[in-house]
Tab-separated table of all heavy atoms in Angstrom:
chain	number	residue	atom	x	y	z
B	194	PRO	N	4.257	-34.991	14.841
B	194	PRO	CA	4.416	-34.737	16.285
B	194	PRO	C	5.858	-34.914	16.747
B	194	PRO	O	6.339	-34.190	17.613
B	194	PRO	CB	3.530	-35.805	16.938
B	194	PRO	CG	2.601	-36.267	15.885
B	194	PRO	CD	3.317	-36.091	14.583
B	195	ARG	N	6.541	-35.877	16.152
B	195	ARG	CA	7.910	-36.142	16.555
B	195	ARG	C	8.803	-34.896	16.429
B	195	ARG	O	9.608	-34.597	17.297
B	195	ARG	CB	8.480	-37.277	15.695
B	195	ARG	CG	9.854	-37.682	16.092
B	195	ARG	CD	10.425	-38.756	15.173
B	195	ARG	NE	11.866	-38.631	15.198
B	195	ARG	CZ	12.595	-38.996	16.227
B	195	ARG	NH1	12.036	-39.535	17.282
B	195	ARG	NH2	13.909	-38.818	16.218
B	196	ASN	N	8.630	-34.178	15.319
B	196	ASN	CA	9.448	-32.974	15.112
B	196	ASN	C	9.199	-31.934	16.203
B	196	ASN	O	10.089	-31.171	16.549
B	196	ASN	CB	9.147	-32.348	13.745
B	196	ASN	CG	9.628	-33.236	12.613
B	196	ASN	OD1	10.332	-34.218	12.843
B	196	ASN	ND2	9.231	-32.920	11.398
B	197	VAL	N	7.974	-31.897	16.709
B	197	VAL	CA	7.646	-30.944	17.768
B	197	VAL	C	8.341	-31.353	19.072
B	197	VAL	O	8.902	-30.519	19.774
B	197	VAL	CB	6.115	-30.865	17.970
B	197	VAL	CG1	5.756	-29.960	19.134
B	197	VAL	CG2	5.446	-30.399	16.680
B	198	VAL	N	8.319	-32.652	19.359
B	198	VAL	CA	8.889	-33.127	20.631
B	198	VAL	C	10.404	-32.934	20.667
B	198	VAL	O	10.955	-32.555	21.693
B	198	VAL	CB	8.505	-34.604	20.882
B	198	VAL	CG1	9.197	-35.141	22.131
B	198	VAL	CG2	6.997	-34.743	21.033
B	199	VAL	N	11.087	-33.179	19.565
B	199	VAL	CA	12.552	-33.073	19.582
B	199	VAL	C	13.047	-31.701	19.096
B	199	VAL	O	14.260	-31.485	18.998
B	199	VAL	CB	13.232	-34.200	18.758
B	199	VAL	CG1	12.819	-35.562	19.287
B	199	VAL	CG2	12.928	-34.069	17.283
B	200	ALA	N	12.128	-30.771	18.839
B	200	ALA	CA	12.512	-29.455	18.306
B	200	ALA	C	13.578	-28.789	19.168
B	200	ALA	O	13.477	-28.786	20.391
B	200	ALA	CB	11.279	-28.554	18.214
B	201	GLY	N	14.577	-28.234	18.501
B	201	GLY	CA	15.593	-27.457	19.213
B	201	GLY	C	16.773	-28.263	19.703
B	201	GLY	O	17.724	-27.694	20.234
B	202	GLN	N	16.720	-29.583	19.561
B	202	GLN	CA	17.826	-30.406	20.032
B	202	GLN	C	18.934	-30.497	18.998
B	202	GLN	O	18.754	-30.186	17.837
B	202	GLN	CB	17.326	-31.822	20.368
B	202	GLN	CG	16.350	-31.813	21.525
B	202	GLN	CD	15.917	-33.202	21.953
B	202	GLN	OE1	16.689	-34.143	21.920
B	202	GLN	NE2	14.670	-33.331	22.360
B	203	GLY	N	20.107	-30.933	19.425
B	203	GLY	CA	21.199	-31.200	18.500
B	203	GLY	C	22.233	-30.101	18.427
B	203	GLY	O	23.115	-30.134	17.578
B	204	GLY	N	22.182	-29.133	19.322
B	204	GLY	CA	23.210	-28.094	19.322
B	204	GLY	C	22.623	-26.744	19.669
B	204	GLY	O	21.409	-26.547	19.591
B	205	ALA	N	23.477	-25.820	20.046
B	205	ALA	CA	23.027	-24.496	20.469
B	205	ALA	C	22.400	-23.748	19.292
B	205	ALA	O	22.818	-23.912	18.149
B	205	ALA	CB	24.200	-23.706	21.027
B	206	ALA	N	21.389	-22.932	19.591
B	206	ALA	CA	20.835	-22.021	18.589
B	206	ALA	C	21.784	-20.833	18.454
B	206	ALA	O	22.320	-20.343	19.439
B	206	ALA	CB	19.457	-21.539	19.014
B	207	LYS	N	22.007	-20.424	17.222
B	207	LYS	CA	22.950	-19.337	16.954
B	207	LYS	C	22.265	-18.244	16.163
B	207	LYS	O	21.542	-18.533	15.208
B	207	LYS	CB	24.118	-19.911	16.136
B	207	LYS	CG	25.141	-18.894	15.719
B	207	LYS	CD	26.240	-19.571	14.898
B	207	LYS	CE	27.223	-18.535	14.393
B	207	LYS	NZ	28.282	-19.166	13.565
B	208	PHE	N	22.458	-17.010	16.544
B	208	PHE	CA	21.877	-15.904	15.787
B	208	PHE	C	22.713	-14.642	16.003
B	208	PHE	O	23.764	-14.686	16.670
B	208	PHE	CB	20.403	-15.684	16.159
B	208	PHE	CG	20.147	-15.574	17.631
B	208	PHE	CD1	20.132	-14.349	18.255
B	208	PHE	CD2	19.926	-16.709	18.388
B	208	PHE	CE1	19.896	-14.247	19.617
B	208	PHE	CE2	19.685	-16.626	19.759
B	208	PHE	CZ	19.674	-15.391	20.374
B	209	LEU	N	22.240	-13.553	15.423
B	209	LEU	CA	23.006	-12.319	15.431
B	209	LEU	C	22.087	-11.212	15.942
B	209	LEU	O	20.983	-11.040	15.441
B	209	LEU	CB	23.441	-12.034	13.985
B	209	LEU	CG	24.532	-11.026	13.662
B	209	LEU	CD1	25.829	-11.337	14.383
B	209	LEU	CD2	24.787	-11.041	12.148
B	210	GLN	N	22.539	-10.516	16.988
B	210	GLN	CA	21.741	-9.406	17.529
B	210	GLN	C	22.613	-8.173	17.601
B	210	GLN	O	23.582	-8.149	18.366
B	210	GLN	CB	21.201	-9.754	18.930
B	210	GLN	CG	19.972	-10.649	18.886
B	210	GLN	CD	19.469	-11.055	20.256
B	210	GLN	OE1	20.209	-11.032	21.226
B	210	GLN	NE2	18.212	-11.453	20.328
Side-chain angles (χ1 to χ4, degrees):
Chain B
R195 184 183 153 73
N196 292 350
V197 176
V198 175
V199 302
Q202 295 184 36
K207 177 181 176 181
F208 51 93
L209 195 56
Q210 280 177 338

